[in-house]
Amino acid sequence: MKYKIFIDGKEGTTGLKIFERFENRNDIEIITIEESKRKDPVEKSKIINASDFTFLCLPDAAAIESAALCTNPHTKIIDASTAHRTNPAWAYGFPELDKSFREKITESHRVAVPGCYASGSNAILYPLVKSNVMPKDYPVLIHAVSGYSGAGKKAIAQYEDENRDVQLESPRLYALTQQHKHLPEIKVISGLDFEPIFNPYICDYIQGMSVSVGLHTRLLGKKVTAKDVWELYAEHYKDCNFVKVCGFMGEGTLPEPFIPANTLANTNMMELFVYGNDDRIMITTRFDNLGKGASGAAVQCLNIMMGIDETTSLI
């Protein structure tokens, strides 16, 4: 049996990457819509309801409209937009966070793929809040850097233009009003009482991301050392295929004292580092903003929903 897959928005960055990951799959059949009818709700409804799985790689409003077109009780929707990530009726597509997340993905007909920055942030915050190490009202500050591919086709074209503005050669801080679209899901999924301060940078490289959160141990809910925090993560993610807790930095595990952001490009891997000292602890996640931060996570969710090895067509 081949599952029928429809990618609604397959010309966008995430849609294209999902399509690429299906290149050598013989268990699925990609069904398409005529280009002239891709915004026709009647035709789109036919395609969605004829599919076993539909990926929504669309702006939020369009994703909501497409999801509403699904009337076939057997069709499952995997939404890569922001639209449904805090909706409790939808499973949140980060199975490594907790077994309850994986179970809901397995059972659900509606899955919301996490945002890229949110994936890196929640991988750090969720275990801390769950274990009561981090109080729910902790004043979280998140720093993050990303390659320009996560900013969409227009930004990619600007960065790759040979006559581009010289400012694009420098890291650029954005989301200055503290209204970034990933903040609600970071707060809800991690269990915080308040949205964090979030400082993201877009940088002059194409792919890869790092997200960092600092801890003042005097403000935590439990007395912990840096090694204690590393052990917490090592236990939490010990059986995961795609989330790896790297060796404790206090024992010197990198050849150089740097954490580059682009080394996991084109994979679905996420690495987590703990470093600093027993007064001020830093945690950093590193991953591909187009992999575990987007298309890779979407395909991983599909595999889980299909009941097959979650690593299928992923590295």
Side-chain angles (χ1 to χ4, degrees):
M1 172 186 173
K2 286 191 176 184
Y3 290 95
K4 293 182 178 180
I5 307 291
F6 174 49
I7 304 172
D8 191 0
K10 68 180 181 67
E11 298 305 318
T13 305
T14 299
L16 287 170
K17 286 292 182 179
I18 291 173
F19 187 79
E20 287 177 11
R21 292 174 188 276
F22 290 153
E23 185 175 0
N24 297 313
R25 295 277 293 257
N26 57 16
D27 59 337
I28 64 174
E29 173 190 350
I30 303 294
I31 57 177
T32 59
I33 189 170
E34 291 181 32
E35 179 62 23
S36 62
K37 296 182 178 180
R38 65 185 180 87
K39 293 187 177 182
D40 180 345
V42 175
E43 187 65 21
K44 185 182 285 192
S45 177
K46 289 179 183 178
I47 301 294
I48 290 173
N49 289 295
S51 72
D52 295 299
F53 294 91
T54 285
F55 289 90
L56 304 181
C57 304
L58 303 164
D60 289 3
I64 291 170
E65 291 175 3
S66 286
L69 295 175
C70 182
T71 56
N72 183 344
H74 301 293
T75 298
K76 299 183 179 182
I77 305 292
I78 301 173
D79 182 12
S81 81
T82 310
H84 299 102
R85 292 174 186 163
T86 59
N87 185 334
W90 288 62
Y92 191 71
F94 197 150
E96 293 88 354
L97 284 184
D98 194 278
K99 66 178 182 180
S100 62
F101 284 76
R102 182 177 295 273
E103 289 170 356
K104 191 168 182 178
I105 295 167
T106 301
E107 298 167 357
S108 183
H109 279 55
R110 300 290 183 270
V111 173
V113 180
C116 53
Y117 287 121
S119 293
S121 301
N122 286 327
I124 295 170
L125 296 169
Y126 182 88
L128 292 174
V129 175
K130 181 184 178 184
S131 64
N132 297 315
V133 168
M134 175 179 281
K136 291 184 176 182
D137 62 352
Y138 189 90
V140 174
L141 171 61
I142 301 169
H143 290 284
V145 298
S146 175
Y148 60 78
S149 58
K153 283 187 172 182
K154 183 177 179 180
I156 292 172
Q158 290 175 336
Y159 271 91
E160 296 183 349
D161 186 338
E162 61 181 20
N163 298 314
R164 69 183 188 174
D165 192 308
V166 68
Q167 69 167 288
L168 299 179
E169 297 175 8
S170 170
R172 293 190 297 161
L173 179 65
Y174 69 106
L176 304 182
T177 61
Q178 291 300 312
Q179 299 294 320
H180 193 281
K181 66 180 182 178
H182 290 177
L183 283 170
E185 69 180 287
I186 293 173
K187 172 181 176 286
V188 170
I189 300 301
S190 67
L192 292 171
D193 286 341
F194 304 100
E195 291 183 355
I197 292 176
F198 182 43
N199 292 328
Y201 289 81
I202 183 171
C203 302
D204 187 18
Y205 65 97
I206 186 167
Q207 239 170 293
M209 172 176 284
S210 68
V211 177
S212 300
V213 175
L215 304 177
H216 290 281
T217 56
R218 70 180 186 275
L219 301 179
L220 296 177
K222 296 180 181 180
K223 183 174 177 58
V224 292
T225 65
K227 186 67 175 293
D228 292 333
V229 172
W230 175 83
E231 289 176 346
L232 184 156
Y233 287 115
E235 175 64 23
H236 189 88
Y237 293 116
K238 66 179 180 180
D239 297 322
C240 296
N241 289 309
F242 293 116
V243 180
K244 175 187 176 184
V245 178
C246 297
F248 181 51
M249 296 285 282
E251 297 172 355
T253 58
L254 289 181
E256 296 184 32
F258 302 101
I259 301 177
N262 65 349
T263 59
L264 295 178
N266 298 312
T267 78
N268 193 51
M269 292 300 301
M270 175 183 286
E271 294 176 336
L272 188 148
F273 302 87
V274 178
Y275 52 103
N277 57 56
D278 290 346
D279 294 320
R280 299 177 308 283
I281 303 169
M282 288 295 298
I283 306 105
T284 293
T285 49
R286 173 171 65 189
F287 55 105
D288 182 0
N289 55 291
L290 300 182
K292 188 61 173 165
S295 64
V299 173
Q300 183 183 355
C301 287
L302 170 74
N303 293 338
I304 292 170
M305 296 166 80
M306 289 172 63
I308 64 174
D309 184 344
E310 70 174 348
T311 68
T312 302
S313 68
L314 296 171
I315 59 173

